[in-house]
Amino acid sequence: APATFPSCCLPSKPITPQIRPPVAWHAKMVFDNTPDFSAELLAFGLPILGLLFAIYYTIQTAAVEVKYRPRSKQAEYGEIDGKNEPLTYGTNGSVNEQKDEEKLVDDTEDIDPAAVKKINDALIRISGLITKGANAFLFTEYAYMVAFMVVFGLLVLLVLGGVRNWTTGIGTAVSFWVGCITSIISGYIGMRIAVFANSRTAVKSNEGIGQGFTTAFKAGSVMGFALVSLGILVLMVLIEIYRGLFTNSYDSNDDCESCTVTMYECIAGYGLGGSSIAMFGRVGGGIYTKAADVGADLAGKVENGWDEDDPRNPAVIADNVGDNVGDIAGMGADLFGSFAEATCAALVLCAQSKDLATNFTSMSFPILISCAGLFACIITSFFATHISPVKKPDDVEPVLKLQLLISTVICTPLVFFISGFWLPYSFDITGRTVHWYDAAICVLAGLWSGLIIGFITEYYTSFSYRPTQRVAESCETGPATNIIYGLALGYKSAIIPIICISITMFVGYTLGRMFGVACGALGILMTLATGLTIDAYGPITDNAGGIAEMTGMPKHVRKNTDKLDAAGNTTAAIGKGFAIGSAALVSLALFGAFADTVGITDLQLIGAWQFAGLVVGAMIPYWFFAMTMESVGMAANKMVLEVRRQVSEKRGNRDDSKLNLDFKSQGFEGLRSNVLDALNSATSDAKSNKNPQELGTKLGELAQLLQNTQEECEECYGKAVGAANPDLLETTDDQYAKCIAIATDASLKEMIAPGALVLLTPLIVGFLFGVKMLAGVLLGSLASGVSMAISASNTGGAWDNAKKYIGAGHLVINGEVRGKKTDEHNAAIIGDTVGDPLKDTSGPALNIVMKLMAIVSLVFARSFPSQEKGGYLQQMVGQ
């Protein structure tokens, strides 16, 4: 072996170049001979490059000092008082650069140093509390994870070891534990960089929207590149270790204890570990974030008239932690599981081919596809940070969306390069001859389907387009029609994504059987690093806006973070669509590997057990959906009761009569004047109007006005109390921690039952009813789960954005703007409340149902009774 390669990259056997026979024009191509070390060089080198890239962005993020510096007296206090004109943006995204150059010059002499110090002290405290809350959740979650890892890992060891052989049992259990640990580390990295960057994004947003965007984007890139790189690197190390332990690997694909097939079936435990941890991240995180969100909104907005991120709210820190828990740790674990499962499924299917199983370079094809995608994503990231950065608010969303398009375009030629270089010209797999370009086409089908699914999801959920605008317009006739329109939108939004997934499946199976389907799953995950980057970007900017509000930064900072966050909401919808589409393809790829492993080559659904399994499988996602929805309600209830208790306790200890309340400064005079004018007008109408219908209409308008004014008066009173004594309802760190603990404990306890349903269903069905019924269960859960996941996520997203569309004053009915505190807005709020668990918990969590059931079936496939004998219950009843 050449001395220039490190020992970790050297094969355990002498390197033998694999020389392909000269077949047609392919023999004339320059890449006919591919030694093993070429695959190892890329499979180790590119992930290491990705990790170095993540470290580089981490260092750049850390270089931002967590310290607020006022720009100028006018830029700071003028914005606070609302006296300045709307901000303008220069070529680098800086505030007011075009109109007023002198505003860029710091002028701190006239600015109260005590006010600046107060902001900086609050900045350190609030960001520290969010970090502390995130750690509290993570370490509690880790305790559950460790217990699960030990118990389920021993189950894998004993079942596979006792039923098949101990080599398989030990090898699969070790792979399972490695997958669990890798997923935990990946989630921890994502969570840490998110809570590390949120305050820095707020600080940089003070300088300009471009600077704030770059900081958040680079922090999101750390998660994207670290997770993908770590996943590939650990998997390659695992393969190299097992390559040395399984002495007959790459000699043949016979079903022996030490051959290639057994080796990669053991490595499939890596995917099981990643997907199992995703259950904690996706389901637990979804329950956590909704419990905290409901508690914070109810106690703050409704009962006290506080702003959304008022630091006096006991649940506000838990709410900010929840953004990271659900959208960063949860989504990251979900997509890491997809990557691990798709790769393992493709590896198991490759091992079924005699032409591929004896060739290490060809067996490395699934991993090299992911490496090529990682390289494309690294190149793509420079478009957002250097080539075409954000310069004004309108640039943010196009720059983020362009990331997915550019990475897809770059990946396209790389797919042909990898396929032609590391696959034989033709090879046989499950009885079909597949050419290298067939495999490339299958990968490309998944790659471009993922892009289309993402953009279609955005079309149906963004209020920039007609579907969500129609949902908002339906609020004119009340919440019932809003919910009807929202449900219809969700169901309709599943049509094109399902067609894209079906085309990918058809192309894959036609060209390469189940191996082609697995290639499609690998294709949709090629841009995983970019998808994770723009997904992590959203919660970071959301937290940055909360920190800007809680610390009392100038209004232009919150305006910048809101504009950054608005684009993040759109890309979050794209990310969910991407995750659901990938989950469907991964699930089918895992099913294909399971079917090949147990010898099912032609599944006939017209049979008692198969048909029963299909119907039962279609029911599982509904059962899981109901359990997670109920869990959200129970966890949210506990949070609301705790917040009410704390606020009520504080109110009981205060005496407002001793305070010097200034209602005038809070706008009370204007409210009183509006009430008097409305009452006088109503009195005049009552005296002069002789039409009872017209008078009734006037009275209805008056009642609505008085109701809205009542809420505004209560808000005015709360603000006056807060202004008179800002420390009156000050929340301590322990009180924040109490709410965090409630959300953490409730979310993790409530997710046990849904997790048990998904993990145990394939085991019970496989052992008792046989693999044919289990095959029906897997197909049924996939068929209903993917449509249900898409419709639920998009319905909730559309209801949320319809509320924002109305709240922003975009809804005009009969020439009148119907904004906040109108019947239309109240109807939209009801829809959004119903949709919250749909889009943030139950809908996305269905990804886990599809994937985890399939990977459990694959790992335990050879332990189930054979299809000829049937399950143990089948044998007992003689069917």
Side-chain angles (χ1 to χ4, degrees):
T4 55
F5 291 97
S7 59
C8 64
C9 297
L10 295 178
S12 57
K13 301 176 184 178
I15 298 173
T16 303
Q18 304 294 330
I19 302 176
R20 301 183 177 88
V23 182
W25 61 272
H26 187 269
K28 301 177 182 179
M29 301 178 75
V30 295
F31 35 79
D32 261 344
N33 301 325
T34 51
D36 289 358
F37 70 80
S38 64
E40 292 175 312
L41 185 62
L42 285 182
F44 281 102
L46 287 176
I48 291 174
L49 176 63
L51 287 176
L52 293 175
F53 203 65
I55 293 172
Y56 170 69
Y57 272 167
T58 302
I59 294 172
Q60 286 200 323
T61 304
V64 178
E65 186 179 4
V66 186
K67 185 176 182 180
Y68 166 74
R69 290 184 175 86
R71 300 176 60 81
S72 69
K73 180 177 180 179
Q74 185 175 7
E76 182 176 1
Y77 291 107
E79 278 299 315
I80 290 178
D81 296 336
K83 297 177 182 178
N84 281 356
E85 295 295 324
L87 297 174
T88 56
Y89 296 83
T91 55
N92 67 342
S94 299
V95 179
N96 294 323
E97 184 178 81
Q98 291 177 330
K99 284 190 175 180
D100 210 344
E101 291 291 336
E102 62 268 19
K103 291 181 183 178
L104 296 176
V105 180
D106 283 346
D107 180 19
T108 58
E109 293 129 1
D110 296 333
I111 296 178
D112 185 6
V116 176
K117 183 178 184 301
K118 185 177 180 180
I119 291 175
N120 281 317
D121 290 344
L123 187 63
I124 298 299
R125 178 172 178 256
I126 296 300
S127 61
L129 287 172
I130 294 175
T131 302
K132 186 177 179 180
N135 287 334
F137 175 81
L138 283 177
F139 293 138
T140 304
E141 186 180 47
Y142 289 163
Y144 283 81
M145 289 180 179
V146 170
F148 167 78
M149 287 167 53
V150 172
V151 173
F152 200 77
L154 289 176
L155 177 65
V156 171
L157 173 63
L158 295 176
V159 172
L160 294 183
V163 175
R164 191 176 180 195
N165 57 68
W166 290 106
T167 300
T168 303
I170 296 173
T172 306
V174 170
S175 298
F176 168 76
W177 285 321
V178 171
C180 288
I181 294 172
T182 306
S183 183
I184 289 174
I185 293 174
S186 299
Y188 182 77
I189 291 173
M191 181 73 82
R192 288 296 300 170
I193 190 62
V195 298
F196 181 74
N198 51 22
S199 57
R200 288 166 169 81
T201 300
V203 170
K204 296 299 286 186
S205 295
N206 179 52
E207 300 177 13
I209 195 167
Q211 291 88 329
F213 171 85
T214 301
T215 302
F217 182 85
K218 288 182 177 179
S221 298
V222 173
M223 177 185 177
F225 293 119
L227 187 147
V228 176
S229 300
L230 195 62
I232 296 174
L233 199 59
V234 172
L235 182 57
M236 274 304 298
V237 170
L238 193 63
I239 290 174
E240 291 291 347
I241 293 174
Y242 279 28
R243 186 182 178 189
L245 296 176
F246 286 78
T247 56
N248 293 327
S249 60
Y250 306 106
D251 290 340
S252 70
N253 74 329
D254 296 332
D255 186 11
C256 64
E257 189 172 339
S258 60
C259 67
T260 308
V261 173
T262 305
M263 176 182 126
Y264 282 104
E265 288 178 359
C266 291
I267 290 174
Y270 181 76
L272 175 60
S275 187
S276 300
I277 296 303
M279 175 64 71
F280 287 88
R282 174 56 85 186
V283 182
I287 296 173
Y288 181 106
T289 187
K290 288 300 100 182
D293 190 10
V294 171
D297 286 349
L298 182 60
K301 296 177 181 178
V302 177
E303 297 180 1
N304 294 282
W306 294 334
D307 292 328
E308 182 174 356
D309 292 303
D310 195 301
R312 292 169 292 176
N313 190 333
V316 70
I317 300 298
D319 189 15
N320 279 272
V321 171
D323 294 332
N324 299 290
V325 167
D327 293 332
I328 290 187
M331 178 67 81
D334 184 0
L335 289 175
F336 173 82
S338 293
F339 158 76
E341 290 162 325
T343 308
C344 290
L347 290 171
V348 170
L349 288 167
C350 285
Q352 306 290 339
S353 168
K354 293 183 178 181
D355 296 329
L356 299 180
T358 57
N359 190 335
F360 177 79
T361 57
S362 298
M363 285 298 302
S364 302
F365 172 73
I367 297 176
L368 295 178
I369 285 292
S370 299
C371 290
L374 176 62
F375 176 74
C377 293
I378 293 175
I379 300 299
T380 303
S381 68
F382 287 107
F383 283 86
T385 57
H386 294 82
I387 299 174
S388 181
V390 169
K391 298 178 181 178
K392 57 183 184 295
D394 292 341
D395 291 343
V396 178
E397 188 171 329
V399 167
L400 288 173
K401 290 168 61 177
L402 202 61
Q403 286 287 295
L404 287 175
L405 178 60
I406 293 174
S407 60
T408 301
V409 171
I410 295 176
C411 283
T412 300
L414 293 179
V415 169
F416 284 103
F417 174 75
I418 295 294
S419 302
F421 200 98
W422 278 277
L423 283 178
Y425 178 77
S426 63
F427 52 94
D428 180 82
I429 190 164
T430 60
R432 178 178 178 82
T433 300
V434 180
H435 300 85
W436 68 271
Y437 49 83
D438 293 330
I441 293 172
C442 294
V443 173
L444 291 179
L447 175 67
W448 284 91
S449 290
L451 182 68
I452 295 172
I453 290 171
F455 286 160
I456 288 296
T457 303
E458 182 215 1
Y459 171 74
Y460 277 100
T461 57
S462 172
F463 66 58
S464 299
Y465 304 101
R466 283 300 297 161
T468 296
Q469 292 175 9
R470 291 193 189 99
V471 174
E473 291 165 1
S474 71
C475 294
E476 180 183 4
T477 51
T481 48
N482 176 37
I483 291 177
I484 291 171
Y485 267 78
L487 291 173
L489 178 147
Y491 299 143
K492 188 185 294 185
S493 70
I495 296 173
I496 296 179
I498 293 298
I499 291 175
C500 289
I501 294 171
S502 300
I503 291 174
T504 302
M505 292 176 177
F506 178 82
V507 170
Y509 191 82
T510 300
L511 297 180
R513 294 297 183 261
M514 283 302 180
F515 172 74
V517 175
C519 287
L522 292 173
I524 200 173
L525 291 168
M526 282 192 74
T527 57
L528 177 58
T530 295
L532 284 169
T533 295
I534 63 176
D535 191 73
Y537 158 91
I540 292 172
T541 55
D542 190 8
N543 272 200
I547 289 173
E549 182 74 26
M550 288 185 278
T551 56
M553 287 186 179
K555 286 187 177 180
H556 75 265
V557 179
R558 183 62 195 245
K559 288 180 181 179
N560 283 342
T561 57
D562 283 349
K563 288 166 184 172
L564 294 173
D565 184 39
N569 290 334
T570 301
T571 57
I574 296 176
K576 288 175 183 175
F578 175 83
I580 295 169
S582 65
L585 289 175
V586 168
S587 177
L588 189 62
L590 291 167
F591 170 80
F594 161 76
D596 281 356
T597 301
V598 298
I600 298 177
T601 57
D602 186 15
L603 179 63
Q604 295 181 355
L605 296 180
I606 306 302
W609 296 103
Q610 297 95 311
F611 189 75
L614 186 68
V615 176
V616 170
M619 174 273 299
I620 294 296
Y622 289 88
W623 190 359
F624 180 88
F625 197 93
M627 295 174 74
T628 52
M629 288 281 285
E630 185 178 17
S631 297
V632 169
M634 295 177 65
N637 185 59
K638 294 178 182 179
M639 174 64 75
V640 169
L641 292 177
E642 172 59 23
V643 173
R644 284 178 174 172
R645 183 194 66 78
Q646 289 193 27
V647 174
S648 176
E649 193 175 90
K650 293 174 185 176
R651 287 189 183 279
N653 296 330
R654 84 183 194 198
D655 185 3
D656 293 351
S657 62
K658 297 180 181 180
L659 297 176
N660 182 20
L661 301 180
D662 182 10
F663 298 123
K664 184 176 181 180
S665 64
Q666 304 301 330
F668 178 62
E669 294 298 331
L671 293 175
R672 183 164 59 180
S673 176
N674 291 340
V675 172
L676 291 174
D677 291 344
L679 292 176
N680 290 334
S681 176
T683 302
S684 176
D685 287 337
K687 290 179 180 179
S688 61
N689 201 318
K690 298 181 181 180
N691 187 323
Q693 186 176 15
E694 292 181 3
L695 181 59
T697 302
K698 293 287 185 180
L699 290 176
E701 294 174 353
L702 176 63
Q704 183 62 56
L705 174 64
L706 293 177
Q707 180 182 354
N708 294 340
T709 307
Q710 177 191 0
E711 297 174 359
E712 293 175 352
C713 288
E714 292 174 354
E715 182 177 349
C716 174
Y717 183 84
K719 289 183 177 181
V721 172
N725 188 350
D727 298 329
L728 190 63
L729 292 179
E730 185 70 25
T731 304
T732 65
D733 293 0
D734 290 339
Q735 290 168 333
Y736 284 134
K738 180 66 175 176
C739 290
I740 292 171
I742 288 176
T744 300
D745 294 341
S747 63
L748 295 177
K749 290 177 182 177
E750 290 295 331
M751 58 150 290
I752 293 176
L757 172 67
V758 178
L759 285 167
L760 297 180
T761 295
L763 297 179
I764 294 173
V765 174
F767 282 111
L768 295 183
F769 303 101
V771 294
K772 287 188 177 181
M773 182 174 180
L774 179 55
V777 169
L778 295 179
L779 290 177
S781 64
L782 169 61
S784 68
V786 63
S787 299
M788 196 174 183
I790 294 173
S791 62
S793 296
N794 291 349
T795 293
W799 278 331
D800 185 13
N801 285 326
K803 179 196 69 174
K804 294 176 181 177
Y805 180 81
I806 297 174
H810 297 311
L811 180 63
V812 179
I813 298 176
N814 297 327
E816 180 183 357
V817 176
R818 307 296 290 172
K820 291 184 177 180
K821 299 186 183 300
T822 62
D823 288 340
E824 290 81 3
H825 191 249
N826 292 335
I829 290 174
I830 293 174
D832 179 47
T833 304
V834 175
D836 269 342
L838 268 67
K839 69 181 177 65
D840 291 326
T841 306
S842 300
L846 288 175
N847 299 348
I848 310 297
V849 177
M850 296 182 282
K851 297 183 299 182
L852 189 52
M853 288 179 62
I855 190 67
V856 170
S857 302
L858 173 60
V859 168
F860 288 91
R862 294 188 185 274
S863 300
F864 297 138
S866 66
Q867 60 172 319
E868 291 79 14
K869 293 182 179 179
Y872 297 133
L873 187 59
Q874 284 180 282
Q875 297 175 29
M876 292 174 59
V877 300
Q879 294 292 328

